[in-house]
Amino acid sequence: MTTTLIETHKVFEGEQRKYRHFSETLDCDMVFSLFLPKQTDNKPTSLIWWLSGLTCTDDNFSQKGAFQKYASQHQLAVVMPDTSPRGTDVADDESWDLGQGAGFYLNATHEPWAKNYRMYDYLTEELPQLVYTLIPNFSGKESIMGHSMGGHGALVIGLKNPERYCSISAFAPILNPSQVPWGQKAFTAYLGSDEKDWTAWDTTSLIAQSPTAPPIHISQGNDDNFYDVQLNEEAFLKAAEGKKVSYKKLDGYDHSYFTIASFIEEHLQFHTDYLG
Amino acid sequence: MTTTLIETHKVFEGEQRKYRHFSETLDCDMVFSLFLPKQTDNKPTSLIWWLSGLTCTDDNFSQKGAFQKYASQHQLAVVMPDTSPRGTDVADDESWDLGQGAGFYLNATHEPWAKNYRMYDYLTEELPQLVYTLIPNFSGKESIMGHSMGGHGALVIGLKNPERYCSISAFAPILNPSQVPWGQKAFTAYLGSDEKDWTAWDTTSLIAQSPTAPPIHISQGNDDNFYDVQLNEEAFLKAAEGKKVSYKKLDGYDHSYFTIASFIEEHLQFHTDYLG
């Protein structure tokens, strides 16, 4: 299949690129962004997956994440996929927390969503094969991170594939979607109303059954409007006992990209420690 | 007059705020953004003015400029005004390079623009008096900078008020608007077709007559699509001979905020050197 480079900007000596391709998995055209650090010496480049939150596209992190300086320093490529399938032929909903922009990084089993909403397969099978070919001198090592719905996505994908990702991190992730309104609404639509089918996509359920979870680092602002209702960590931390998890509250920080920009250096240092 | 705080986010231990107020000068409601660094010890806070380019608002730099880390380090407040008067009662044009979003930081003399388009007076008289009161422990020292049309604005305002600004910097500024399409279109509309009236708003004319120009630092990407037609520096550098001007070409960088983010640390260090 054809992958078309549609935009590129030099930034911190590297390149912030945007590509378009047709996804067989999602059955629609998709765009994604990719940061490539400058090639220095022969140091291999490792790969970070960034998954954004509800309503976002591949642009939010590239423009507001302020990560390129540190990705350059650590010789990291960063791929930013879109948050759902897109297009006039793709099912959608009039609310902002379901449908396009709200794919929840799972494989939907119920119509009208099942036809296109297979973000999990897209991110773990189709897109990696494409992205690997775009990284010069790729080390073969990967980590995954995200924000809010994307923090949920990073944790679910990381926990389902512990041999693949060296580390997982998240800002303000939805840690227990089965028990909160955002997750219940999305899971009911995409997976149906049988809650047994939800556990395979719930970080709190997954970590309890994961003997080999990669190291996890989570940052959560304590001035985040969504914290109480959508992002509470209590059940997760109980389920994660004995696992390598650091969960850090950030005093006065909220749900915005300003928080991400403030702590992205720390997160990329965390991943670098495990990517080697 | 009432100034209303409408948004605030903690970022790099400081605060990224947005305010709304009624401007007497512009005869319309205006918003502006303001970054305040954390108060540390009793070190006074100096002020940087950031002026954005065509089509921008106060949001572009706050979200994409990646400046907050360095403003925090140097104890700098940064104010980001909008780029023109706004509103349904404010004159506008269907093109993106005239009217709302394209104020060119001057005082218009020709209708329908003269009623509201007085950005120069707004930025040098009304808004400073308001902003000074919002900065705890203000040092009284100011510098000014901007991008593209905002680089033109920073240079014009700085050169007209050399006693007021400690330093001036710009990314990809319109250095000689009287001689390039963007400036000729705007000046003809706002100032009329007599080109003698344009020189008061043209950096290249101003610097030739400015014995006390503040130190100036300019960065220009050499992969900037607008460079050849709108941003050429030749006449400016000739007029600026003998002045304290550093003009730096950036290999491979373009007109985007990715360039600004890559070199904002250097620009804020430049200003800090003169703000003391």
Side-chain angles (χ1 to χ4, degrees):
Chain A
M1 304 302 298
T2 312
T3 303
T4 309
L5 177 65
I6 54 176
E7 202 177 316
T8 187
H9 307 275
K10 190 166 176 181
V11 57
F12 285 102
E13 296 298 304
E15 283 188 47
Q16 185 64 51
R17 296 181 176 180
K18 188 192 278 279
Y19 291 93
R20 178 180 292 123
H21 74 124
F22 179 79
S23 165
E24 299 276 358
T25 310
L26 303 175
D27 196 21
C28 63
D29 277 327
M30 292 294 285
V31 294
F32 65 91
S33 286
L34 177 66
F35 173 77
L36 291 176
K38 184 182 177 184
Q39 271 303 117
T40 47
D41 310 325
N42 284 318
K43 191 178 174 192
T45 296
S46 295
L47 175 62
I48 301 275
W49 292 81
W50 170 271
L51 307 184
S52 274
L54 288 163
T55 76
C56 289
T57 69
D58 63 306
D59 285 333
N60 299 65
F61 188 59
S62 71
Q63 297 183 351
K64 302 182 186 179
F67 70 86
Q68 289 93 347
K69 178 178 182 174
Y70 312 108
S72 277
Q73 286 173 353
H74 295 306
Q75 197 69 28
L76 298 172
V78 180
V79 59
M80 291 142 270
D82 203 345
T83 53
S84 76
R86 301 269 182 186
T88 50
D89 294 337
V90 172
D92 201 2
D93 187 89
E94 62 189 13
S95 55
W96 58 271
D97 53 2
L98 188 67
Q100 296 186 32
F104 271 81
Y105 303 106
L106 48 71
N107 292 332
T109 53
H110 280 54
E111 295 302 348
W113 313 102
K115 174 174 178 289
N116 301 98
Y117 284 72
R118 304 187 62 78
M119 287 297 286
Y120 178 79
D121 283 354
Y122 173 65
L123 294 177
T124 57
E125 296 173 14
E126 183 180 5
L127 191 56
Q129 296 311 317
L130 194 167
V131 169
Y132 296 162
T133 67
L134 299 173
I135 304 172
N137 200 13
F138 178 41
S139 71
K141 293 186 180 172
E142 299 169 73
S143 290
I144 190 165
M145 66 190 304
H147 173 229
S148 196
M149 175 184 77
H152 143 78
L155 284 155
V156 164
I157 291 172
L159 290 169
K160 282 174 173 287
N161 302 278
E163 74 296 334
R164 181 167 182 170
Y165 302 97
C166 296
S167 47
I168 308 171
S169 83
F171 290 91
I174 309 171
L175 286 166
N176 200 1
S178 302
Q179 304 300 317
V180 304
W182 275 339
Q184 289 167 338
K185 178 177 178 175
F187 286 5
T188 301
Y190 299 143
L191 305 171
S193 53
D194 187 344
E195 298 187 17
K196 287 199 303 296
D197 297 330
W198 298 1
T199 57
W201 305 103
D202 186 302
T203 293
T204 298
S205 300
L206 287 169
I207 198 159
Q209 305 151 21
S210 175
T212 56
I216 295 170
H217 179 55
I218 296 172
S219 299
Q220 173 63 58
N222 74 358
D223 200 24
D224 183 329
N225 286 338
F226 298 114
Y227 172 72
D228 287 338
V229 172
Q230 309 280 8
L231 309 173
N232 189 286
E233 78 283 15
E234 206 173 317
F236 166 77
L237 288 183
K238 198 168 169 192
E241 272 175 19
K243 305 296 195 299
K244 200 170 175 64
V245 173
S246 72
Y247 184 90
K248 197 164 156 187
K249 284 276 178 74
L250 306 173
D251 187 41
Y253 286 87
D254 66 17
H255 202 68
S256 72
Y257 270 78
F258 291 113
T259 302
I260 296 168
S262 299
F263 295 93
I264 193 67
E265 180 177 11
E266 176 187 297
H267 276 243
L268 292 187
Q269 182 61 60
F270 165 80
H271 291 297
T272 299
D273 290 345
Y274 292 100
L275 288 162
Chain B
M1 304 303 297
T2 312
T3 303
T4 309
L5 178 66
I6 54 176
E7 203 175 314
T8 187
H9 306 276
K10 191 167 177 180
V11 57
F12 283 102
E13 296 298 303
E15 283 187 48
Q16 184 65 52
R17 295 182 177 180
K18 189 192 279 277
Y19 291 93
R20 180 181 291 123
H21 75 123
F22 179 78
S23 164
E24 298 277 359
T25 310
L26 304 175
D27 195 22
C28 64
D29 277 327
M30 292 293 285
V31 295
F32 64 91
S33 286
L34 178 65
F35 172 76
L36 291 176
K38 185 183 178 185
Q39 270 304 115
T40 47
D41 312 324
N42 284 319
K43 191 179 174 193
T45 296
S46 295
L47 175 61
I48 300 273
W49 292 82
W50 170 271
L51 306 185
S52 274
L54 287 164
T55 77
C56 289
T57 69
D58 62 307
D59 284 334
N60 298 65
F61 188 59
S62 72
Q63 297 182 353
K64 303 182 186 178
F67 70 87
Q68 289 93 347
K69 177 177 183 175
Y70 312 107
S72 277
Q73 287 173 353
H74 295 305
Q75 197 70 26
L76 299 172
V78 181
V79 59
M80 290 141 271
D82 204 345
T83 52
S84 76
R86 300 269 184 187
T88 50
D89 294 337
V90 173
D92 201 2
D93 187 90
E94 61 189 12
S95 56
W96 59 271
D97 53 3
L98 188 66
Q100 295 188 32
F104 271 81
Y105 304 107
L106 48 71
N107 291 331
T109 52
H110 280 53
E111 296 301 347
W113 312 104
K115 175 173 178 287
N116 302 100
Y117 284 72
R118 305 188 60 79
M119 288 296 287
Y120 179 78
D121 283 353
Y122 174 65
L123 293 177
T124 56
E125 296 174 14
E126 183 180 5
L127 192 57
Q129 296 310 317
L130 195 167
V131 169
Y132 296 161
T133 68
L134 300 172
I135 304 172
N137 199 14
F138 178 41
S139 71
K141 293 185 179 171
E142 300 170 71
S143 290
I144 190 163
M145 66 191 301
H147 173 230
S148 196
M149 175 185 74
H152 144 77
L155 285 155
V156 164
I157 291 173
L159 290 170
K160 282 174 172 286
N161 302 276
E163 75 296 336
R164 182 167 182 171
Y165 302 98
C166 297
S167 47
I168 309 170
S169 84
F171 291 91
I174 309 171
L175 287 166
N176 200 1
S178 303
Q179 304 300 320
V180 305
W182 275 340
Q184 290 167 337
K185 178 175 179 177
F187 286 5
T188 301
Y190 298 143
L191 305 172
S193 53
D194 186 344
E195 297 187 18
K196 287 198 302 296
D197 297 331
W198 298 2
T199 56
W201 306 104
D202 186 302
T203 293
T204 298
S205 300
L206 288 169
I207 198 158
Q209 306 151 18
S210 175
T212 57
I216 294 170
H217 180 54
I218 295 171
S219 299
Q220 173 64 58
N222 73 0
D223 201 23
D224 183 329
N225 285 338
F226 298 113
Y227 171 72
D228 287 336
V229 173
Q230 309 280 8
L231 309 173
N232 189 285
E233 78 284 15
E234 206 173 319
F236 166 77
L237 288 182
K238 197 168 169 192
E241 271 175 19
K243 305 295 195 300
K244 203 170 171 65
V245 172
S246 74
Y247 184 90
K248 198 165 155 186
K249 284 279 178 73
L250 306 172
D251 188 40
Y253 286 87
D254 65 17
H255 202 68
S256 73
Y257 270 77
F258 291 113
T259 302
I260 296 169
S262 300
F263 294 93
I264 193 67
E265 179 178 12
E266 175 188 297
H267 276 242
L268 292 186
Q269 181 63 58
F270 164 79
H271 291 298
T272 299
D273 290 344
Y274 292 100
L275 288 162

